[in-house]
Every structure is written in structure tokens, then in C-alpha cells.
Amino acid sequence: MEGLGLGLGIVAYLGPPSSYTHQAALEDFGETSFALEPRVNIEDIFAAVQSGEVAYGVVPFENSTNGSVVYTLDLFADRQSQFTNVYVCGEAYLDVHHCLLGHQSNNSPLDDLLPGDATPTHQSPSPPKPKTQPLTGVRHVKRIYSHPQAFGQCEAFLSTYLKGVERQEVSSTSKAAEIVAKDTTGTLAAISSKVAAQVHDLDVLATRIEDRDDNTTRFFVLRRASDDESSIGEENTQPGTKTHRWKTLVNFTIDHHSPGALADALHVFKTHGLNLTSIGSRPSRLTPWHYIFFVELEGRRESKGQGEVNQALLQLESITRGWRWHGSWEDRIQRRYN
């Protein structure tokens, strides 16, 4: 990866091969200097990084259409303190264009398609229209496999052409393609990529079925820091150096019975001139309706306790019940969209 000073080693990604995470890892690391190895689920990647089994891990973090990957957030919450040495050291963006993969059926011709409009309901009186229609008939499809995020990114197409068809969630889109490739009934389909269609020799029943053309997924690159390496992501930044091209991820907990506790915590970042780019939460699982809050901000921790990010974290300690820094890395969205 550019600018991270990464050395030789193994990179773990969410598999099987041909997954979107695999494609993101290939774009960032290539296969000449790193050995890319698939893992069954995201937790396996965190565990491999924590144990030092691999040098880096690549995990999906959020999608521009469907929001955060909740399972990844839960692992950052780390309620059992299993991944105390896992930090974010980089990010990658991948344009995601989904396909419906399966086995073409002669008993399901193209002219047998349903009309290209979803049925209005009380909850959705004006449902969105899909951007595309199938390349072949899909009435023979009885079950669809994919990752939960992919289902959420393709609602318009699914509610129009595959309304009422059973959906089965699996660990990744490439796993879905792998399952459908073994189907002997010809009635299963997967939401996955064209690359997966080639790898598993599946028919492409529809292309670009995502709701938005700008559908993009952001991935985090993880690495391990030793117990005494608390400066991962820090740099010897000169006073006054602009740090807006860097990002930092922090979580914290508050006293839920104290009025304004969350507002007080967020105000710390404003006081230090730090722009928050996202905020989210996950249940603490300690007490019902108690949350762990996540914030992402522009800037990075600097060496020797210098800089506004360090000062904000120091102040946060006196306001919150606890906080955790998850790393600082170069902001690639600036390069991608500016």
C-alpha cells in the first residue's frame, strides 16, 4: 500500500477468492510482494492480525448506499478485549457493481419478466425503480444467496423482479457464488461480481443491479501493534502542519444518566477544531440501551503527545467513562473525489 511503508508478509481478506474484499486487497497490495490469504469471516481476520499470524488484514467497513458493516463495528467495539492490538493503518475504496448469477433456464424466457415496477405498499408508496432489467428470465429462481450488505444495495431490483423470493444471508458475495455453483437444481442465484461468475463458471442473469451507480465500499487495512507500540499511525508532525488529509477512529462510552453527556463528549472535538466526518453506535451489551459511540474525525495523533487530536483525547478522558483510539491513516477519499 502506498505511503504505509508496508513490508513483506501475508494479507488476510474476507474470502473466498473473488470477493469484493479480495479485489480491494489486490488493488492495494498486489500479489508480487504479499501473499493474499482468504478467511471465512471478518472475526477470523481480526484474530489473525491480533495473533501476528498475518501482517495485515483487509475488512469491509462501510458502503455508500447501505451504511456501516455492523459486524466489523462490533469487532472494533471489542467488548471482551480480544483484539487490543489491532489498529487501522489504511483504507481502500472499491466501486461495487453487483450481478445476479445463476443458471440460465430455457423454461424462464426473457419475455416472461414481471413489469419493471415494484409494487407500492403502505410503507413504500413510491418504491424506487431499478436501473436495469434481467438479461434472461428469472422466474425459475427460488432462493438468492448473498451478503446482507449486498441485499441492501439492490432493493429496487429485487423488489421488482424477484419479489417474494427467499433470501439466504452468507459470509460474503463470493461465498454465495460458490454455493450456487454447486447447485444441481438450477433454481438458486447469487448476488456477486462478474469476477465471481468467471471463477465459478456461472451465468450472468443480470448486471449492475445495485440501486445507485456510485455504489462504493470502503475497506480498512488492519495491522498489529505491540503493547508498547502505542504510536501506530502517529507521525513526527511539525507544529502547524495540516492534518486534514488524515483520519482517526475513536470510540467512547458515557454516563447515560447524565443529561448532555454525549453532547459534552462531542463538543470536545469542536473545541479543538476537529471535524467529525461520521458518528455511529453499537450496544455495549453490558446494560440494555447502553451504547458504545464511534466517531471518525479529520486529523491524526502526533508523536510525543503533540497536536489537537492528542489534546482532545486527553480531555475526553475526563468527560467519558472510557475511550479507545483505533488508529490514524491517510484519507484516501480526498484523492479519490477531489
Side-chain angles (χ1 to χ4, degrees), residues 27 93-95 215-216 332-338:
E27 283 195 9
Y93 290 84
L94 184 73
D95 294 329
N215 190 45
T216 305
R332 288 198 164 189
I333 199 169
Q334 298 275 354
R335 185 187 310 171
R336 183 180 178 90
Y337 293 108
N338 291 347

Side-chain angles (χ1 to χ4, degrees), residues 137-156:
V138 293
R139 282 186 179 273
H140 65 289
V141 175
K142 304 302 181 186
R143 184 184 304 148
I144 308 169
Y145 290 83
S146 200
H147 188 275
Q149 277 277 338
F151 284 127
Q153 295 163 30
C154 304
E155 280 296 344

Side-chain angles (χ1 to χ4, degrees), residues 277-290:
T277 57
S278 70
I279 180 171
S281 66
R282 294 299 297 153
S284 69
R285 298 183 186 172
L286 297 175
T287 304
W289 319 119
H290 182 274

Side-chain angles (χ1 to χ4, degrees), residues 315-334:
Q315 186 177 349
L316 200 64
E317 190 163 349
S318 64
I319 294 176
T320 63
R321 283 188 165 181
W323 61 270
R324 179 171 170 181
W325 174 66
H326 292 286
S328 298
W329 64 94
E330 185 180 358
D331 181 6
R332 288 198 164 189
I333 199 169
Q334 298 275 354

Side-chain angles (χ1 to χ4, degrees), residues 77-109:
D78 196 18
R79 300 173 184 90
Q80 305 301 319
S81 299
Q82 296 175 284
F83 310 117
T84 56
N85 298 105
V86 176
Y87 293 87
V88 182
C89 65
E91 66 179 6
Y93 290 84
L94 184 73
D95 294 329
V96 174
H97 300 298
H98 294 298
C99 297
L100 183 70
L101 310 182
H103 305 280
Q104 189 170 339
S105 171
N106 295 327
N107 297 322
S108 193

Side-chain angles (χ1 to χ4, degrees), residues 13 15 27-28 35 66 73 87 99 114 129 131 141 147 157 173 176 213 234 236 255 273 279 332-333:
Y13 66 88
E27 283 195 9
D28 258 26
N66 206 45
L73 265 185
Y87 293 87
C99 297
L114 294 171
K129 295 184 177 181
K131 303 186 292 80
V141 175
H147 188 275
F157 180 89
T173 56
D213 289 325
E234 295 181 359
N236 290 302
D255 181 355
I279 180 171
R332 288 198 164 189
I333 199 169

